[in-house]
Amino acid sequence: MSTINSVDSAMILAVVDSRDFRRLFIERLGWHNPDHPPLSFDLDSGGAYTFTQVAGYKGLRIWTCPVVPDRRTQRALDALLGQYSTERLVIFADDVRQEWRWPRKTQTGGINAKLMVHPHTRGVHNQSLVTRLAAITIDFDDDVSLVDLLDRMRDAFNAEAETASVQAARLMGRLYTELELSAVPSDAATLLLARLLFLAFADDSDMWVGQPELFKTHLQEHTTDATLHTDLVALFDVLSTDERSRDLPSGSPLTVFRYVNGGLFRDPLTLPRLTSGFRKALLDACTFDWSLISPAVFGSMFQTVKDKAARREGGEHYTTEENILKTIGPLFLDELHDRLDAAWDDRSQLTRLHNDLGRLRVMDPACGCGNFLIVAYRELRALELEVLKRRRQLDLAAGARTKQHLMQGVFEVQSDIKVRLDHFYGIEIDPWPARIAQTALLLVDHLANQQLAEEFGVAPDRLPIRISPAIHLRNALQIDWQTVVPASPDVVIVGNPPFSGDRLATPDQKEDLRRAWDRTTLKHLDYVTGWYAKALAYYGTTPGKWAFVSTNSVAQGEQVAELWGPILLAGWRVRFAHRSFEWLTESSGERAAVHVSIVGFDRARTPAPQLWTYAPGGKAPSQVTRVRHINPYLLDAPTVLVHTHEQPISDLPEVMMGNMPRSKSLVVTAAQYDEVAADPVAARYLRRYLGTEELLSGVERWCLWLVGVPQVEIAASPVLSERVEGSRAERLLSRAESTRKMASTPHLFAQRTQPAGPVLVIPGVSSERRHFLAVGHFDGDVVTSNLVFCAADPDSYGFGILSSSMFMDWMCGVGGRLKSDPRFSKTFNYNAFPLPKAGSGPRAEIVDAALAVQRTRAEFPDSPLESLYNPARMPAALLQMHGELDDAVDALFEVTDRSRIGRQRLLLSRYADMRGSIL
């Protein structure tokens, strides 16, 4: 996208002011010459209007009109122009004023109406107009599509809204700071700010109907620093009271305010005296144009109110609009847009689509600040508006509507609105985000009505509020969702439930989880899976669609079988999935980074599932493909559930956790080595000590391995005596009774699993960027720590299998992860590895290749494993030896497709064959 510097900006605005739009678009912005003759329209009530095309690009035409009529006339003319030019930018411009009506097709359907109708005054610097023109500048060697061009416009509008959002967040933070100085309790502060946000938004979005800046004027003229707290409470009381029931003195300045209803101003609020700084901050906030802000960001602004520790304890995360669209798009919204495209020239199909929009219900059972509901409502109202506009165009083409009808606005659009706020439902356990959700949905409804008015000249008057979303202040895992909205094929469930892991869940959360699953014992399930259980119970045998943003663990490791078994048995399929990606919340302060997956379900056979995959780390742009099937591990592979196994299902050696010292005194650091080695007795029992860091980074550490050493020999060594006594003292001070008992044998490691002879050493976590698992193979003179796994491996066969692409692909396909890095599990991805039984010949080939890998490693003595296995620096010779090892292992498996997904499909099929079942 092009940029425009300050000099160019001034020159471009000079051309805009001169109304030489042909020069602007063709010479400055790189558009093409016009391809359509002028058009004239004669409106019965307003005379003739002529439009001249000044430029175009791939079907999008720029039209100018030399006068600036009122907005109602503009709408009528734009509708008539639409019969000849579907994609258009219309500029009404006289000597002083201009109004730019930007393209409105579905690519920009969710954009604020104020951003779509853009006023400009001659001689006034208009940076937002310059920014938009920069977005649609086409360089000489550019060949952008029309869709890309519209996307550029949308991005420019979004950038304006985002800039405004940053300013709004600062204003909100300043207000809250002043409330803290006034000692206003947190709950009262959030309620107060929600109300003030509503009022400021009403000022800027014509909610008061012909009384702009009503609240701001009241603040300036009828409040003081000393009385603001009581003045606001009095105003809130009036706003919550029907005009017919008010008891106000004659001449009260409060009589001009309309009855709001909707519950926002109903609850009593007691405020202490507020600081003078608060009133100043509030007046400053009222000078800001709040109508430019997407209500979807209101929750993000209010996160500054809630305590960070409480937010972590609750497991809450707040979803960005981008990730919301990743969820609702493939779940239902994209299909509705496809139906609109298919019905574009068929009025009966458009009517059917419109009726289906009216039947749709959306529920978020962990709604937080309502972001999912807000974006879903905004997008569905935008889609409905496209349907209404297209029906109007078809009516005009058929002669069913006249120019006079357009001016009078007789198109009964108000009664034709079928997407309603009371079709949107939320469940939220915390009062303050529930309050924000309710408020923000009311505001996004008003914005949608403003867009409607821009197109048709009419929109519903929502005051007093009679239709509102149903936000239930309850624990979603403790209520029957049928009481929120009865299940039907028209109900869509979306959300971003709390992420607390199995080990981090509180006792209350674990009890909620057991209740949701109706089980007394749960092995591995994270707290988020309670929402999956409730969705299964809610729908029963009813068709439906549902999708959750969850930690990537829902499709990895041990919990998959426990979670997905009931889902599959209930007849659900994966409609779409985003594999693991890094997801940044909009929380204040440090942005929370979580690795998540998004999974959507239905019981249909079409459309074909969509699968999004991400580059290592989950930060790079995704790739989406239509696939035949998506299994519980979010792979286009057979549906197989891998279970934990206490013993290997193949002839691999048994793996054990390394040795646990439970005493710092038995471990020797590099700084301590010389002192210990100087003792001739202690030196005999020094062993290399390997944990993950020592294995991968080459850090050196030792331990005292005193198995079988007589006590008299220990007593003869000052170093051993001191360290063994230190071990005894450490263990006696432990809170764990089991550790205190080990004080009777202070010279021994608490847990000893060291195999005799050569040992295979396996790190607990690998990097997803590595092509191979960086395992180690050592003679029997090393001791492994409890931070790695180990196994007896006399001939390096185990080393060869675990060093192969086959095993790495298995880990990455079904195993658990730490963030996005594959995690080794003894009972899961190791014991469940479906390794065929090797005859003497294939085994010898794998052993020979494994030894070749070890010899090649030895050629780089100064390079630790983490360096050798860094994909960017892996030596060519080592990569070649791994390729030969892969050949040998793949031959054992009889591999035909050596891609990662090919191997994963084969492994899952072999696992099913070995276990005799897929579920």
Side-chain angles (χ1 to χ4, degrees), residues 452-471:
L452 190 73
E454 282 297 332
E455 292 295 338
F456 293 99
V458 290
D461 182 2
R462 293 301 201 201
L463 294 184
I465 296 168
R466 296 184 177 90
I467 301 175
S468 59
I471 308 297

Side-chain angles (χ1 to χ4, degrees), residues 577-581 610-616 618 620-625 627 634-636:
H578 288 263
R579 298 208 76 211
S580 179
F581 66 96
Q610 289 178 283
L611 182 62
W612 278 262
T613 56
Y614 295 79
S622 60
Q623 293 184 336
V624 59
T625 53
V627 296
L634 307 187
L635 301 170
D636 178 16

Side-chain angles (χ1 to χ4, degrees), residues 509-624:
Q509 288 175 331
K510 290 182 178 180
E511 180 56 34
D512 285 343
L513 194 56
R514 285 189 287 268
R515 184 184 294 111
W517 281 105
D518 194 22
R519 299 183 199 170
T520 56
T521 303
L522 301 171
K523 293 182 179 178
H524 306 290
L525 292 176
D526 292 342
Y527 187 53
V528 68
T529 67
W531 276 259
Y532 287 72
K534 296 292 287 188
L536 294 177
Y538 172 77
Y539 282 115
T541 59
T542 304
K545 296 174 184 158
W546 52 289
F548 292 130
V549 179
S550 311
T551 47
N552 55 12
S553 60
V554 298
Q556 299 169 1
E558 294 89 341
Q559 87 167 317
V560 170
E562 196 173 359
L563 168 62
W564 284 76
I567 295 173
L568 297 173
L569 290 173
W572 296 97
R573 67 147 191 170
V574 179
R575 177 185 176 91
F576 76 93
H578 288 263
R579 298 208 76 211
S580 179
F581 66 96
E582 187 178 62
W583 173 84
L584 295 175
T585 71
E586 290 183 328
S587 58
S588 60
E590 294 184 4
R591 299 185 72 193
V594 185
H595 284 78
V596 306
S597 294
I598 305 175
V599 189
F601 299 90
D602 66 15
R603 282 179 164 137
R605 294 185 177 180
T606 58
Q610 289 178 283
L611 182 62
W612 278 262
T613 56
Y614 295 79
K619 296 180 182 180
S622 60
Q623 293 184 336
V624 59

Side-chain angles (χ1 to χ4, degrees), residues 832-846:
F833 185 57
L835 178 68
K837 188 172 181 61
S840 58
R843 184 183 181 102
E845 290 181 8
I846 292 172

Side-chain angles (χ1 to χ4, degrees), residues 42 67 85 103 166 170 190 205 266 276 300 432 434 485 583 631 742 853:
D42 186 5
V67 294
S85 184
V166 171
R170 290 173 181 160
T190 55
S205 60
R266 181 183 57 219
S276 58
S300 304
W432 79 266
V485 55
W583 173 84
N631 76 1
M742 294 172 187
V853 168

Side-chain angles (χ1 to χ4, degrees), residues 592-838:
V594 185
H595 284 78
V596 306
S597 294
I598 305 175
V599 189
F601 299 90
D602 66 15
R603 282 179 164 137
R605 294 185 177 180
T606 58
Q610 289 178 283
L611 182 62
W612 278 262
T613 56
Y614 295 79
K619 296 180 182 180
S622 60
Q623 293 184 336
V624 59
T625 53
R626 289 279 184 185
V627 296
R628 295 168 297 174
H629 172 76
I630 300 176
N631 76 1
Y633 302 97
L634 307 187
L635 301 170
D636 178 16
T639 295
V640 177
L641 296 180
V642 180
H643 295 263
T644 58
H645 298 271
E646 293 305 315
Q647 298 293 327
I649 64 173
S650 66
D651 59 355
L652 282 171
E654 182 179 359
V655 156
M656 297 159 288
M657 182 185 290
N659 304 274
M660 183 181 296
R662 294 272 179 94
S663 168
K664 295 179 181 178
S665 297
L666 299 179
V667 177
V668 179
T669 65
Q672 299 165 341
Y673 178 82
D674 289 341
E675 178 188 354
V676 176
D679 184 310
V681 178
R684 293 202 298 269
Y685 304 110
L686 268 176
R687 299 285 186 271
R688 284 189 63 193
Y689 187 53
L690 292 177
T692 302
E693 188 176 8
E694 291 78 20
L695 174 67
L696 299 178
S697 303
V699 173
E700 291 190 317
R701 205 160 52 135
W702 296 264
C703 71
L704 290 167
W705 191 249
L706 301 175
V707 176
V709 178
Q711 288 297 322
V712 64
E713 193 165 357
I714 293 174
S717 165
V719 169
L720 291 183
S721 298
E722 180 181 356
R723 285 188 170 257
V724 168
E725 187 56 36
S727 173
R728 187 195 316 277
E730 286 180 64
R731 292 177 179 179
L732 287 173
L733 291 174
S734 173
R735 295 181 179 179
E737 182 180 355
S738 59
T739 302
R740 293 197 299 271
K741 288 181 178 179
M742 294 172 187
S744 61
T745 54
H747 63 298
L748 298 177
F749 271 48
Q751 175 181 299
R752 301 178 300 283
T753 56
Q754 189 69 22
V759 58
L760 173 65
V761 184
I762 309 160
V765 177
S766 182
S767 167
E768 70 167 342
R769 290 180 171 81
R770 294 180 190 139
H771 300 311
F772 309 98
L773 183 62
V775 297
H777 196 271
F778 299 90
D779 292 333
D781 61 345
V782 301
V783 174
T784 57
S785 88
N786 57 295
L787 298 180
V788 292
F789 294 86
C790 62
D793 192 25
D795 63 353
S796 292
Y797 180 67
F799 174 91
I801 297 299
L802 267 65
S803 296
S804 68
S805 292
M806 187 68 75
F807 189 80
M808 190 65 164
D809 291 345
W810 174 251
M811 279 185 64
C812 292
V814 305
R817 291 180 182 250
L818 181 63
K819 294 186 177 179
S820 61
D821 291 329
R823 180 169 53 84
F824 180 87
S825 167
K826 166 190 171 179
T827 58
F828 189 70
N829 49 28
Y830 181 81
N831 285 351
F833 185 57
L835 178 68
K837 188 172 181 61

